[in-house]
Amino acid sequence: MDNNRSLNLVKVHGVGGYDSDFSDDEIQEETSDQKKKRIRKDDPLLQKTFQKGKHVKLVHKHLAAQEWDREEARNRRHHLISMNAYDRHKKFVSDYILFYGGKEEDFKRSTEKDKTDVDVIKENHRFLWREEDEDDMTWEKNLAKKYYDKLFKEYCIADLSRYKENKFGFRWQVEKEVVSGKGQFFCGNKNCDTKEGLKSWEVNFGYVEQGEKRNALVKLRLCPECSYKLNFHHRRKEVKPKKRQRTEEGEDEPLSKKIQIISDQETQKQGEKKSRMSFT
């Protein structure tokens, strides 16, 4: 009776009861598949070598700050090593100014006392080096001595711009001037390039060097106009070519005389041969 009185819910709703369309077996199969995937992910043999592990917990702030500082120091060290000495110095100066204050001009080196090789040679140059000058040689004197050894000391180059005051300047020839002929085949005045009518002069050159007065006998080749400037106050000694002196062997005799002597010797030899033939 009770069973008959109970409503037939299937008939009322026209659908089946409260049963699910999916069975419990299917749900159990899905959960098992998920478990298999999870196991595969957690298996250390299946993980890649470069794969990063999962951080379950956060690191303490103090430990994270120490690690960060250590990494920053490592990067800064590599950056400083890659720089050269000058760039590293500039970086330290800029950091000092940013931290303590100031100006970059206060850290600039003074260039007033800087000297080049030319300045060192000018200070230690000698017109003529003596044995006394080579005592207590420094690197500055050695540099000036090396430059002096490269000069050509046969003829001088003259500066006659102040000839009316009886003041002259002389220096030795350099290699370029020797190759071009300046001072020997061209006028020895630095502002003159005349080639004709050159004369040779010997001048007793008096000069003051390192607080000491010295003299040197130098030779010049000048054109007539520059020779007039040189001898404006008093005449210097002119160097003329020496005449050839005849020797006993006749090395400096004229060519015609040498030919005549040779021909006479040959005739004498021929005469001796004829006399020998007639004697036999």
Side-chain angles (χ1 to χ4, degrees), residues 35-56:
K35 286 180 181 179
K36 289 179 182 179
K37 290 180 180 179
R38 182 171 54 78
I39 292 169
R40 288 177 183 176
K41 289 181 180 180
D42 296 338
D43 190 358
L45 296 175
L46 299 177
Q47 289 183 357
K48 299 178 180 179
T49 55
F50 56 85
Q51 185 177 358
K52 295 182 180 180
K54 294 181 179 180
H55 299 286
V56 180

Side-chain angles (χ1 to χ4, degrees), residues 112-152:
E112 295 178 356
K113 297 182 180 181
D114 289 354
K115 294 180 182 179
T116 60
D117 292 345
V118 177
D119 297 332
V120 173
I121 291 173
K122 285 181 179 179
E123 291 180 359
N124 298 273
H125 180 66
R126 302 285 190 277
F127 188 76
L128 288 174
W129 279 81
R130 303 175 183 176
E131 294 181 358
E132 302 172 357
D133 299 331
E134 296 183 7
D135 296 338
D136 299 331
M137 294 291 285
T138 59
W139 73 268
E140 294 93 343
K141 289 184 178 181
N142 285 325
L143 184 63
K145 184 66 167 59
K146 287 181 181 179
Y147 174 77
Y148 172 81
D149 294 337
K150 294 180 180 179
L151 299 176
F152 295 85

Side-chain angles (χ1 to χ4, degrees), residues 222-264:
L222 299 175
C223 64
E225 184 178 355
C226 295
S227 298
Y228 170 77
K229 294 179 180 180
L230 179 68
N231 302 306
F232 185 79
H233 286 277
H234 58 274
R235 186 174 180 81
R236 267 75 178 183
K237 182 181 178 181
E238 183 179 357
V239 180
K240 295 181 180 180
K242 295 181 180 180
K243 295 181 180 179
R244 293 182 179 179
Q245 297 180 355
R246 297 181 181 180
T247 59
E248 294 180 357
E249 297 179 357
E251 293 179 355
D252 295 335
E253 292 180 353
L255 182 62
S256 59
K257 291 186 178 180
K258 288 183 178 180
I259 295 171
Q260 187 177 358
I261 292 170
I262 293 170
S263 61
D264 293 339

Side-chain angles (χ1 to χ4, degrees), residues 42-168:
D42 296 338
D43 190 358
L45 296 175
L46 299 177
Q47 289 183 357
K48 299 178 180 179
T49 55
F50 56 85
Q51 185 177 358
K52 295 182 180 180
K54 294 181 179 180
H55 299 286
V56 180
K57 295 182 180 180
L58 294 175
V59 184
H60 195 272
K61 290 183 178 181
H62 181 65
L63 296 175
Q66 287 182 350
E67 186 65 26
W68 176 263
D69 293 339
R70 193 180 295 109
E71 187 68 23
E72 276 297 313
R74 190 182 298 110
N75 294 335
R76 194 181 300 110
R77 194 181 305 110
H78 286 300
H79 179 63
L80 291 174
I81 292 171
S82 63
M83 299 168 67
N84 55 33
Y86 181 68
D87 293 337
R88 197 181 303 119
H89 170 72
K90 287 174 65 177
K91 184 182 183 307
F92 289 154
V93 170
S94 61
D95 293 344
Y96 180 88
I97 293 172
L98 289 174
F99 188 78
Y100 294 103
K103 297 180 181 179
E104 289 188 2
E105 298 176 356
D106 300 336
F107 294 90
K108 287 185 178 179
R109 187 177 60 83
S110 177
T111 59
E112 295 178 356
K113 297 182 180 181
D114 289 354
K115 294 180 182 179
T116 60
D117 292 345
V118 177
D119 297 332
V120 173
I121 291 173
K122 285 181 179 179
E123 291 180 359
N124 298 273
H125 180 66
R126 302 285 190 277
F127 188 76
L128 288 174
W129 279 81
R130 303 175 183 176
E131 294 181 358
E132 302 172 357
D133 299 331
E134 296 183 7
D135 296 338
D136 299 331
M137 294 291 285
T138 59
W139 73 268
E140 294 93 343
K141 289 184 178 181
N142 285 325
L143 184 63
K145 184 66 167 59
K146 287 181 181 179
Y147 174 77
Y148 172 81
D149 294 337
K150 294 180 180 179
L151 299 176
F152 295 85
K153 305 167 190 67
E154 185 176 0
Y155 295 98
C156 276
I157 304 298
D159 183 5
L160 306 176
S161 59
R162 302 176 65 180
Y163 70 95
K164 291 185 178 180
E165 302 175 14
N166 198 21
K167 293 181 179 180
F168 306 98

Side-chain angles (χ1 to χ4, degrees), residues 154-156 170 183-188 195-203 217-224 226-228 230-231 235-242:
E154 185 176 0
Y155 295 98
C156 276
F170 298 103
Q184 183 176 5
F185 303 109
F186 294 89
C187 181
K195 190 176 180 180
E196 298 177 354
L198 299 181
K199 293 183 179 181
S200 299
W201 300 94
E202 276 188 1
V203 181
L217 190 64
V218 297
K219 190 171 13 176
L220 297 170
R221 293 271 292 168
L222 299 175
C223 64
C226 295
S227 298
Y228 170 77
L230 179 68
N231 302 306
R235 186 174 180 81
R236 267 75 178 183
K237 182 181 178 181
E238 183 179 357
V239 180
K240 295 181 180 180
K242 295 181 180 180

